[in-house]
Amino acid sequence: MSERLLAGIEAGGTKFRVAVGRPPHSISAETTITTTTPEETIGAAVDFLRTVGALAGAGIASFGPLDLDPDSPAYGSITATPKPGWSNVDLLGTVARALQIPVAIDVDVGGAVLAESRWGEGRGVRDLVYITLGTGIGGGLMVDGRIHHGHGHPEMGHVPVAPEPDDAFEGACPFHGACLEGMAAGPAIAARWGSPADELADRAEVWDLEARYLAQGIRAITYVVAPSRIILGGGISQVPGLLDRIRIHLAAALNGYPASALPETDPGYVRLAGLGQDAGLVGALTLAGMALEKGG
């Protein structure tokens, strides 16, 4: 191709997906790298991108937490993460120095909410939340068409939830125990039930409990943020029937208040990502385009 390409890195705690192309679906090359040490993983991503031709810009949608204050000396770095060896890693700076092109960075859910707003189930919506349900739980927030950071960035997976009456599990979050992530992310499911989520698809009691915790978290987000739409992504969101269970329990949790934004009056208030498992990667490519525009 004569057009210079964009590079996207979806940096996850389990794997890095690296792609070259244009969003949303024009991808000319892609690879997946197992997340090991920062040196090995980032190095492999950069080595791949050096083989694909001239690049105009790059975007990174990464697990966090990240330092997203442009005035901070550590801007673009991973901060205090439970991922061993990855705290204080200068992810943005390492990629930018290696590739010598404009690079933009956001958290994975920030990239995903951006992608869904432009190409997926958030089109036409200016106030939007994207929640990923997987190894962790995180939320990206778009307010008036812009990704919201605030002091750092939102950590919706760490909103508190109350233990359900039939659940004695104490939580798997190393920071908070029984927060939303600690009670409903993949490691919590595996620890509570003794098997990983993908082996429990036919256990109705697993997913009814999961839906109740997710409904608690979404209720809190609804009341604090008042988004026009909430989009769910990540591997757990794909469990058959889970979305319907969440909607039922969310309606019960909201209990008629506020009447203007209830699942019964707007069944599409909570919906699955239109870009599916590619929301983060498309977000990274979209961030690359923004980096190019900003960097000239």
Side-chain angles (χ1 to χ4, degrees):
M1 296 178 61
S2 59
E3 184 181 43
R4 294 177 70 197
L5 298 174
L6 301 175
I9 300 174
E10 182 185 13
T14 302
K15 63 184 178 182
F16 274 38
R17 293 181 66 192
V18 188
V20 175
R22 293 275 171 171
H25 300 301
S26 179
I27 294 177
S28 59
E30 181 179 354
T31 192
T32 299
I33 300 162
T34 300
T35 305
T36 56
T37 66
E39 294 78 11
E40 290 179 348
T41 311
I42 301 171
V46 167
D47 288 345
F48 171 76
L49 292 174
R50 283 171 169 161
T51 70
V52 296
L55 297 173
I60 305 170
S62 175
F63 73 94
L66 299 178
D67 185 332
L68 294 177
D69 178 0
D71 296 324
S72 169
Y75 175 61
S77 295
I78 298 170
T79 60
T81 177
K83 181 71 176 173
W86 283 82
S87 292
N88 303 313
V89 170
D90 183 8
L91 183 54
L92 173 66
T94 301
V95 173
R97 287 189 296 270
L99 297 178
Q100 293 296 300
I101 56 175
V103 182
I105 192 169
D106 212 305
V107 285
D108 45 9
V109 287
V113 75
L114 175 65
E116 285 289 328
S117 73
R118 294 196 180 187
W119 320 104
E121 288 295 315
R123 284 174 292 183
V125 178
R126 296 188 64 79
D127 300 292
L128 179 69
V129 167
Y130 175 96
I131 302 173
T132 186
L133 310 174
T135 303
I137 293 178
L141 171 62
M142 180 164 283
V143 177
D144 197 25
R146 297 172 62 89
I147 303 174
H148 174 76
H149 291 148
H151 180 68
H153 50 78
E155 290 284 4
M156 298 184 196
H158 294 277
V159 297
V161 294
E164 289 291 323
D166 55 343
D167 185 25
F169 184 63
E170 294 183 354
C173 174
F175 297 100
H176 311 114
C179 61
L180 180 59
E181 179 173 292
M183 300 302 279
I189 294 171
R192 178 189 289 112
W193 299 101
S195 298
D198 58 5
E199 296 180 7
L200 299 168
D202 60 348
R203 297 273 301 276
E205 68 274 22
V206 172
W207 303 110
D208 185 72
L209 182 62
E210 177 76 1
R212 282 184 274 154
Y213 280 119
L214 292 173
Q216 282 197 50
I218 292 171
R219 175 184 62 181
I221 293 165
T222 294
Y223 285 147
V224 172
V225 178
S228 300
R229 188 170 298 165
I230 294 177
I231 295 174
L232 304 181
I236 290 174
S237 73
Q238 302 300 308
V239 172
L242 180 60
L243 177 62
D244 290 337
R245 292 176 185 271
I246 292 170
R247 287 170 170 167
I248 291 169
H249 289 297
L250 177 61
L254 292 172
N255 197 30
Y257 184 87
S260 60
L262 294 181
E264 347 34 307
T265 58
D266 181 9
Y269 173 63
V270 181
R271 59 180 71 187
L272 297 181
L275 297 169
Q277 300 292 75
D278 290 334
L281 186 62
V282 174
L285 288 167
T286 306
L287 287 167
M290 295 169 65
L292 179 60
E293 293 172 4
K294 185 176 180 180

